[in-house]
């Protein structure tokens, strides 16, 4: 499996496009600038199978509707944030003065830790709340990577001062769900560069004691 990092929008939220040898792909967190996503898909001749959302903050959902409309693909989101896509207050776009970001409801709502198959892709959905109540991570074990959304960054962790956030909950999520992965596992973060589980265990100042 191949992956591509595409920073989008004023907050440079990382959208990830994961593709296989048959040119099928998953799109994770298309935050804005749908045309950039279209351009990459056309260039690589990729066919989207689904949109996966690690959570429903405005900077991760801005291009959901253009992509869903163009390719007729389903959207997956944690059930705790099912109302956030259509509510600018809940998704934070009104709070941050970014205009009112809205999308239609998700096609599939996820809950609990589970293995999921979409087309030719099989991966594990992990509940990693703390940054937001419905934050989830997508673990592709065979490929050795996890899309962590805004839970874990290179040298940092997600902010927890937004509605529904909890610093204690986030640290528990990281410790119990992410740091148990092999140290060479790539962490595809919601913002900033890609890192590894081992690197964050060794040097992330927020994880001292873990």
């Amino acid at each position: 499996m191949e992956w591509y990092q595409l920073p989008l929008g004023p907050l440079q939220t990382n959208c990830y496009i994961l593709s296989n040898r048959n040119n099928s792909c998953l799109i994770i967190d298309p935050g804005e600038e749908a045309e950039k996503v279209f351009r990459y898909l056309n260039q690589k001749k990729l066919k989207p199978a689904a949109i996966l959302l690690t959570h429903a903050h405005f900077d991760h959902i801005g291009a959901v509707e253009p992509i869903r409309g163009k390719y007729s693909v389903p959207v997956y989101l944690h059930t705790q944030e099912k109302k956030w896509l259509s509510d600018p207050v809940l998704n934070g776009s009104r709070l941050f003065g970014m205009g009112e970001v809205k999308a239609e409801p998700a096609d599939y709502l996820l809950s609990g830790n589970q293995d999921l198959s979409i087309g030719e892709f099989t991966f594990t959905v992990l509940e990693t709340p703390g940054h937001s109540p419905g934050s989830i991570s997508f673990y592709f074990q065979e490929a050795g990577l996890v899309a962590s959304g805004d839970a874990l960054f290179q040298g940092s962790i997600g902010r927890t001062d937004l509605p529904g956030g909890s610093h204690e909950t986030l640290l528990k999520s990281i410790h119990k769900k992410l740091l148990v992965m092999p140290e060479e596992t790539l962490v595809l973060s919601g913002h900033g560069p890609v890192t590894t589980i081992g690197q964050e265990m060794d040097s992330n100042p927020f994880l001292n004691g873990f």
Side-chain angles (χ1 to χ4, degrees):
M1 184 168 63
E2 296 183 357
W3 59 271
Y4 182 71
Q5 181 190 63
L6 188 59
L8 300 173
L11 299 186
Q12 291 292 276
T13 303
N14 289 326
C15 170
Y16 293 98
I17 301 173
L18 281 57
S19 59
N20 63 20
R21 66 184 64 184
N22 294 322
N23 287 350
S24 180
C25 73
L26 299 173
I27 301 172
I28 301 176
D29 289 354
E32 204 172 306
E33 299 181 293
E35 289 300 327
K36 289 187 177 180
V37 178
F38 297 155
R39 194 176 307 128
Y40 179 78
L41 297 178
N42 291 336
Q43 176 186 347
K44 297 295 183 178
K45 297 181 172 57
L46 298 178
K47 299 177 181 179
I51 298 170
L52 307 179
L53 299 177
T54 61
H55 63 295
H57 280 149
F58 70 94
D59 58 315
H60 290 251
I61 67 172
V64 164
E65 282 312 313
I67 295 171
R68 175 159 50 180
K70 184 177 180 67
Y71 297 103
S72 299
V73 292
V75 174
Y76 290 75
L77 175 69
H78 194 276
T79 187
Q80 287 204 38
E81 297 181 11
K82 63 182 179 180
K83 296 181 179 180
W84 290 32
L85 291 177
S86 59
D87 190 329
V89 174
L90 291 174
N91 67 43
S93 55
R94 185 175 296 174
L95 174 67
F96 284 89
M98 304 299 292
E100 295 203 345
V101 177
K102 295 181 180 180
E104 295 299 313
D107 300 280
Y108 295 99
L109 295 173
L110 302 170
S111 63
N113 304 306
Q114 59 181 288
D115 292 329
L116 189 62
S117 292
I118 300 175
E120 301 170 28
F121 298 92
T122 299
F123 54 97
T124 302
V125 179
L126 299 171
E127 291 185 320
T128 49
H131 172 67
S132 70
S135 286
I136 50 181
S137 296
F138 304 108
Y139 180 36
F140 297 81
Q141 185 172 4
E142 289 189 9
L145 60 87
V146 59
S148 66
D150 286 1
L152 181 62
F153 304 125
Q154 183 186 71
S156 188
I157 61 174
R159 60 186 298 176
T160 56
D161 60 337
L162 299 175
S166 167
H167 184 76
E168 180 181 0
T169 300
L170 179 56
L171 288 178
K172 287 181 179 179
S173 294
I174 294 171
H175 176 55
K176 293 182 178 181
K177 302 294 178 60
L178 300 179
L179 299 188
V180 297
M181 296 176 181
E183 292 188 18
E184 65 272 17
T185 302
L186 292 174
V187 180
L188 309 188
S189 302
H191 300 271
V194 171
T195 183
T196 67
I197 292 295
Q199 180 178 336
E200 298 317 302
M201 291 175 68
D202 291 340
S203 62
N204 191 313
F206 293 90
L207 303 181
N208 288 339
F210 287 133

